[in-house]
Amino acid sequence: MKIYTKQGDTGTTSIVGGRVPKHDIQVEVIGIMDELNSYTGLAMTEVKDQELYHELLTIQHELFDCGSDLSFVESKKDVHYKVTPEMTEWLETRIDHWMSMTPPIKRFILPGGTKAAASLHVCRTITRKAERMLSKLQEDKGGVPEPVQRYLNRLSDYFFAIARVANHLESTTDVEYIRGKDVFTFSNEEKNK
Amino acid sequence: MKIYTKQGDTGTTSIVGGRVPKHDIQVEVIGIMDELNSYTGLAMTEVKDQELYHELLTIQHELFDCGSDLSFVESKKDVHYKVTPEMTEWLETRIDHWMSMTPPIKRFILPGGTKAAASLHVCRTITRKAERMLSKLQEDKGGVPEPVQRYLNRLSDYFFAIARVANHLESTTDVEYIRGKDVFTFSNEEKNK
Amino acid sequence: MKIYTKQGDTGTTSIVGGRVPKHDIQVEVIGIMDELNSYTGLAMTEVKDQELYHELLTIQHELFDCGSDLSFVESKKDVHYKVTPEMTEWLETRIDHWMSMTPPIKRFILPGGTKAAASLHVCRTITRKAERMLSKLQEDKGGVPEPVQRYLNRLSDYFFAIARVANHLESTTDVEYIRGKDVFTFSNEEKNK
Ligand code: B12
Ligand code: B12
Ligand code: B12
Ligand SMILES: C[C@H]1O[C@@H](n2cnc3c(N)ncnc32)[C@H](O)[C@@H]1O
Ligand SMILES: C[C@H]1O[C@@H](n2cnc3c(N)ncnc32)[C@H](O)[C@@H]1O
Ligand SMILES: C[C@H]1O[C@@H](n2cnc3c(N)ncnc32)[C@H](O)[C@@H]1O
Ligand SMILES: [Mg+2]
Ligand SMILES: [Mg+2]
Ligand SMILES: [Mg+2]
């Protein structure tokens, strides 16, 4: 058999348990998870810190877990989900850890700096795009597992935290948005709380 | 307080003045502005020319200005907008300036060449995606400030101009699309007009 | 004349034969083709293999061919299409060629590895996004040329194949998704079939 099955040549495709149009919101969602995973892979080529690199590898597997949980047609949804609440809790501990390493900010920062930080900001915004699609899927078909929603919401904050770390590790200072107000109320010393 | 407020864990989020679903067109719009800003930050890591680099830094602030002007719910729209017609006029002077530095073309060019140019073409196409969403927002809710629309329309032409400059500065010739007709009627000597 | 015509300042634009809103699905489609072409240009800056590089250059021209075939309003669609079935057949021979160079896999792989491979996985996922939009265009307006649909379906498999080659050429092993099942049934010896 070949990798190209030609089955999708005329606009429909298969998910687990059935066939749908390619612009079906569920296909959109597994597609954006795949896109996000690819950007994560790209950002990883810029990340030098080994601890960070291995966390991102874990996250790539977890993005596949998210995709799996979203690949089933309605009738097959009595599955054993792969995404667990513990995965989000782990992300929270990592956010706390990395946040405590960067200088406090009060205002929005320009997404950029080093190649690693800039790529991670791209991942952050693609995560948020994925989140928006998930919200659409929930509205249209329902049945989106809450652990997946929570995971993605936390993941964009995680990318924000580590984008700042990536700059910090290369002694690059984040530039604040000049015409903004003070918007952030978080403290950077969560670890000691 | 922590950076992750968990308030968006179940599909809604807050904009200035109210709460909306995450797939609300206005959230899509501020999301794509954020994405575009991140790609701009990424392209900047490839841009060597200092004048260009600093222009892009200004543009990052202005993209935040656009985002600000689009973050308010209908009822709060009696705001002092941050995006002014002067910002678009400035972009026009910069386009004229940079266009005068590159050899004339008659046909479409392949988006690519140096890393800087290729990244700037990506910014160009994301700007155009943002524009399409703005047009949808205008249709659905109305009230999109015209200065923001104009700014984005000009910004994609700006990215086109400087992508060509980035190639030119590294002695890379733009490749014309072979099976195309002559499509461009612009002159490259705007400065002397 | 200037490159910025300002004609699109208030939300509409011209395609060949008429004027439409910027969020018209047909404008979305030519926009995503342009975006995909730009990412291809970006990936090319990472591809070292000369044969691969030149194939990608051909593909950039062919993406413009796709865009051309999709730029006409309904009434002008009695055109001589640029995209031919032969273009897809050529892609198939290239997929077979490149697939035969990489070690077999049974499971999904994490999109990443070298910079070249990671960028090509991004191209793969953007191709698939383009495909989804094409499917929407077909539903909304009809008239999408089948050769274009087939070409894009094959193109994402092509990007998958060469992303693996890019890793292989730099002695980087693809990492399999750990919690996945065996999903692939293709053989890697198509050439000898
Ligand atoms: C819009 C927005 C965004 C937009 C910004 C768009 C833009 N270009 O401006 C985008 C989508 C980019 C964004 C991104 C993020 N955001 Co945000 N964002 C907001 C939001 C909705 C508004 C913030 C804002 O601009 N406020 C400024 C203005 C409009 O409001 P204001 O300060 O109240 O100012 C008015 C008045 O107070 C008054 N005023 C203000 N100052 C003064 C002074 C004087 C003297 C006077 C008289 C009047 C006055 O006048 C102003 C105009 O009317 C807030 C939530 C909220 N509803 O407030 C979250 C919020 C700030 N964001 C938050 C977060 C976490 C983020 C991200 C980290 C998310 C992520 N993971 O990506 C990123 C960070 C991006 C970055 N690069 O730094 C959190 C912060 C949480 C915390 N613990 O601090 C918030 C609070 C949302 C939340 N509850 O989770 N965000
Ligand atoms: C489609 C399109 C695009 C598509 C191209 C898609 C594709 N793959 O082909 C996309 C979205 C990529 C695009 C991008 C851009 N575009 Co554009 N685009 C157009 C558009 C709508 C059609 C151009 C086209 O392909 N024409 C070719 C064919 C279809 O038309 P034609 O030449 O008339 O050919 C027909 C007939 O004339 C006849 N014919 C032609 N030659 C001959 C010869 C003989 C002998 C005979 C008998 C018949 C014949 O047969 C042909 C087929 O029917 C025009 C506007 C318009 N309505 O024309 C703008 C236009 C060319 N674009 C423009 C611009 C500015 C751009 C961008 C710079 C925008 C940006 N900031 O990103 C980029 C540049 C991209 C690049 N890489 O170079 C401007 C140029 C302005 C100027 N001053 O020159 C235009 C004029 C739009 C405008 N008014 O602003 N564009
Ligand atoms: C979902 C999906 C994707 C998603 C994956 C999302 C995710 N995170 O998991 C995405 C969109 C990323 C994707 C991408 C691709 N995919 Co895909 N994908 C599928 C799909 C629909 C399901 C695959 C899957 O996850 N199966 C696993 C589970 C859910 O199913 P299962 O193995 O049958 O397991 C169940 C049962 O069998 C049982 N079970 C399994 N094992 C065991 C063991 C025991 C002991 C027991 C009791 C029970 C049991 O329990 C399981 C749960 O119910 C299949 C088509 C299909 N309908 O099967 C194509 C398919 C595998 N994909 C295919 C292809 C080609 C690709 C891409 C190369 C496309 C491309 N060009 O980009 C990429 C590769 C991506 C990569 N990085 O490797 C092809 C492969 C063709 C071939 N010749 O092998 C398929 C077959 C589709 C097709 N017909 O074209 N894909
Ligand atoms: C920080 C701000 O970003 C906006 N916001 C929250 N979630 C998303 C998302 N997935 N995509 C885009 N914007 C989002 C809200 O307005 C929030 O308050
Ligand atoms: C150059 C051509 O690109 C198309 N066009 C104009 N604006 C956009 C946009 N935001 N996104 C995609 N395509 C666009 C129109 O067809 C125009 O004529
Ligand atoms: C490999 C799997 O990917 C999904 N699939 C097929 N085509 C697309 C696309 N354009 N975008 C996203 N997902 C797609 C289908 O579920 C297919 O079986
Ligand atoms: Mg959030
Ligand atoms: Mg325009
Ligand atoms: Mg396919």
Side-chain angles (χ1 to χ4, degrees):
Chain A
M1 210 191 178
K2 304 219 176 193
I3 190 187
Y4 49 93
T5 61
K6 308 189 187 182
Q7 289 174 359
D9 273 2
T10 50
T12 64
T13 191
S14 71
I15 52 177
V16 184
R19 238 183 138 71
V20 291
K22 283 192 180 170
H23 62 277
D24 183 284
I25 179 69
Q26 215 174 333
V27 181
E28 293 283 355
V29 162
I30 62 176
I32 185 86
M33 297 306 302
D34 194 10
E35 188 182 328
L36 172 56
N37 212 334
S38 300
Y39 278 108
T40 305
L42 192 56
M44 286 167 73
T45 68
E46 303 293 352
V47 167
K48 281 141 210 155
D49 185 81
Q50 280 308 300
E51 194 181 357
L52 217 43
Y53 182 90
H54 282 99
E55 273 182 28
L56 289 169
L57 205 61
T58 298
I59 284 166
Q60 284 202 301
H61 286 289
E62 297 185 340
L63 287 173
F64 259 111
D65 292 342
C66 292
S68 291
D69 286 356
L70 299 162
S71 302
F72 292 83
V73 294
E74 189 55 40
S75 60
K76 295 264 168 125
K77 269 183 191 152
D78 50 345
V79 292
H80 177 72
Y81 287 120
K82 290 183 182 171
V83 178
T84 63
E86 286 70 34
M87 281 161 54
T88 301
E89 284 159 26
W90 172 74
L91 273 185
E92 290 169 3
T93 65
R94 300 320 298 160
I95 296 171
D96 293 345
H97 169 74
W98 295 118
M99 288 291 285
S100 73
M101 294 182 56
T102 45
I105 43 168
K106 285 274 167 236
R107 300 179 175 213
F108 288 129
I109 52 166
L110 302 186
T114 61
K115 277 192 212 303
S119 311
L120 291 166
H121 276 293
V122 170
C123 293
R124 178 180 63 79
T125 60
I126 308 295
T127 305
R128 286 157 74 81
K129 182 155 63 177
E131 236 195 327
R132 301 193 295 271
M133 259 180 204
L134 219 61
S135 155
K136 183 88 179 84
L137 172 59
Q138 175 61 17
E139 181 179 88
D140 287 4
K141 299 195 180 184
V144 174
E146 270 193 37
V148 177
Q149 287 181 286
R150 271 198 292 275
Y151 182 83
L152 279 185
N153 192 17
R154 218 64 83 252
L155 186 59
S156 76
D157 293 334
Y158 172 82
F159 277 126
F160 183 77
I162 67 172
R164 298 204 63 219
V165 168
N167 272 341
H168 190 68
L169 289 176
E170 296 186 50
S171 307
T172 300
T173 309
D174 282 315
V175 179
E176 287 190 339
Y177 165 48
I178 39 174
R179 285 179 290 281
K181 309 275 157 59
D182 286 359
V183 291
F184 293 128
T185 57
F186 58 79
S187 132
N188 282 54
E189 289 157 65
E190 301 305 333
K191 248 179 133 180
N192 317 320
K193 259 192 182 170
Chain B
M1 208 189 178
K2 304 220 176 193
I3 189 185
Y4 48 94
T5 61
K6 309 189 185 181
Q7 290 173 358
D9 273 2
T10 52
T12 65
T13 192
S14 71
I15 53 177
V16 184
R19 235 180 141 71
V20 291
K22 282 194 180 170
H23 62 278
D24 183 284
I25 179 69
Q26 215 174 334
V27 181
E28 292 284 355
V29 162
I30 61 175
I32 186 86
M33 296 307 301
D34 194 11
E35 189 182 327
L36 172 56
N37 211 334
S38 300
Y39 277 108
T40 304
L42 192 55
M44 286 166 72
T45 68
E46 303 293 353
V47 167
K48 281 140 210 154
D49 185 81
Q50 280 308 300
E51 193 181 356
L52 217 44
Y53 183 90
H54 282 99
E55 273 182 28
L56 288 169
L57 206 61
T58 299
I59 284 166
Q60 284 202 301
H61 286 289
E62 296 185 341
L63 287 173
F64 259 111
D65 293 342
C66 293
S68 292
D69 287 356
L70 298 162
S71 302
F72 293 83
V73 293
E74 190 54 39
S75 59
K76 296 264 168 127
K77 270 185 191 150
D78 50 347
V79 292
H80 176 71
Y81 287 120
K82 290 183 180 170
V83 178
T84 64
E86 286 70 34
M87 281 161 53
T88 301
E89 284 158 26
W90 172 73
L91 272 185
E92 290 169 3
T93 65
R94 300 319 298 159
I95 296 172
D96 293 346
H97 169 74
W98 295 116
M99 288 291 286
S100 73
M101 294 182 57
T102 46
I105 44 168
K106 285 274 165 237
R107 301 180 174 211
F108 288 128
I109 52 166
L110 302 186
T114 60
K115 277 191 211 303
S119 311
L120 290 167
H121 275 293
V122 170
C123 292
R124 178 180 63 77
T125 60
I126 308 295
T127 306
R128 286 158 74 80
K129 183 155 62 176
E131 235 195 328
R132 302 193 293 271
M133 261 181 203
L134 219 61
S135 155
K136 182 88 181 84
L137 172 58
Q138 174 61 18
E139 181 178 88
D140 288 2
K141 299 195 180 184
V144 174
E146 269 192 38
V148 177
Q149 286 181 287
R150 271 198 292 276
Y151 181 82
L152 279 184
N153 192 19
R154 217 65 82 251
L155 186 60
S156 77
D157 293 333
Y158 171 83
F159 277 125
F160 182 76
I162 68 172
R164 298 204 63 220
V165 168
N167 272 341
H168 191 67
L169 289 175
E170 297 186 48
S171 308
T172 300
T173 309
D174 282 315
V175 179
E176 287 190 340
Y177 166 47
I178 40 174
R179 285 179 290 281
K181 309 275 157 57
D182 287 0
V183 290
F184 292 127
T185 56
F186 58 78
S187 133
N188 283 55
E189 291 156 66
E190 301 305 334
K191 249 180 134 180
N192 317 319
K193 259 194 182 170
Chain C
M1 212 193 175
K2 304 220 176 192
I3 190 188
Y4 49 94
T5 61
K6 309 189 187 182
Q7 289 174 359
D9 273 1
T10 51
T12 65
T13 192
S14 71
I15 53 177
V16 184
R19 236 180 140 71
V20 291
K22 283 194 180 171
H23 63 277
D24 183 284
I25 179 69
Q26 216 174 333
V27 181
E28 293 283 354
V29 162
I30 61 177
I32 185 85
M33 297 307 301
D34 193 10
E35 188 182 328
L36 173 56
N37 212 334
S38 300
Y39 277 108
T40 305
L42 191 56
M44 286 167 73
T45 68
E46 303 293 352
V47 167
K48 280 139 210 157
D49 185 80
Q50 280 307 301
E51 193 181 356
L52 217 43
Y53 182 90
H54 282 99
E55 273 182 28
L56 288 169
L57 205 61
T58 298
I59 284 166
Q60 283 201 301
H61 286 288
E62 296 185 342
L63 287 173
F64 259 110
D65 292 343
C66 293
S68 292
D69 287 357
L70 298 162
S71 302
F72 294 83
V73 294
E74 190 54 39
S75 60
K76 295 262 169 130
K77 270 185 192 149
D78 51 345
V79 292
H80 178 73
Y81 287 119
K82 290 183 180 170
V83 178
T84 63
E86 286 70 34
M87 281 161 53
T88 301
E89 284 159 25
W90 172 74
L91 273 185
E92 289 169 3
T93 65
R94 301 319 298 160
I95 296 171
D96 292 346
H97 170 74
W98 296 116
M99 287 291 284
S100 73
M101 293 182 56
T102 46
I105 43 168
K106 286 273 165 237
R107 300 179 174 211
F108 288 129
I109 51 167
L110 303 186
T114 61
K115 277 192 211 302
S119 312
L120 290 166
H121 275 293
V122 170
C123 292
R124 178 179 63 77
T125 60
I126 308 295
T127 306
R128 286 157 75 81
K129 182 155 63 178
E131 236 194 327
R132 301 193 295 271
M133 261 180 202
L134 218 62
S135 155
K136 183 88 180 84
L137 172 59
Q138 175 60 19
E139 181 179 88
D140 287 4
K141 298 195 180 185
V144 173
E146 269 192 37
V148 177
Q149 287 181 284
R150 269 199 292 276
Y151 181 83
L152 279 185
N153 192 18
R154 218 63 84 252
L155 186 59
S156 76
D157 293 334
Y158 171 83
F159 278 125
F160 183 76
I162 67 173
R164 298 204 63 218
V165 168
N167 272 341
H168 190 68
L169 290 176
E170 296 186 49
S171 306
T172 300
T173 309
D174 281 316
V175 179
E176 287 189 339
Y177 164 48
I178 39 175
R179 284 178 292 281
K181 310 274 157 59
D182 287 359
V183 291
F184 293 128
T185 56
F186 59 78
S187 133
N188 283 54
E189 290 158 66
E190 302 304 334
K191 250 180 132 180
N192 317 318
K193 257 191 181 169

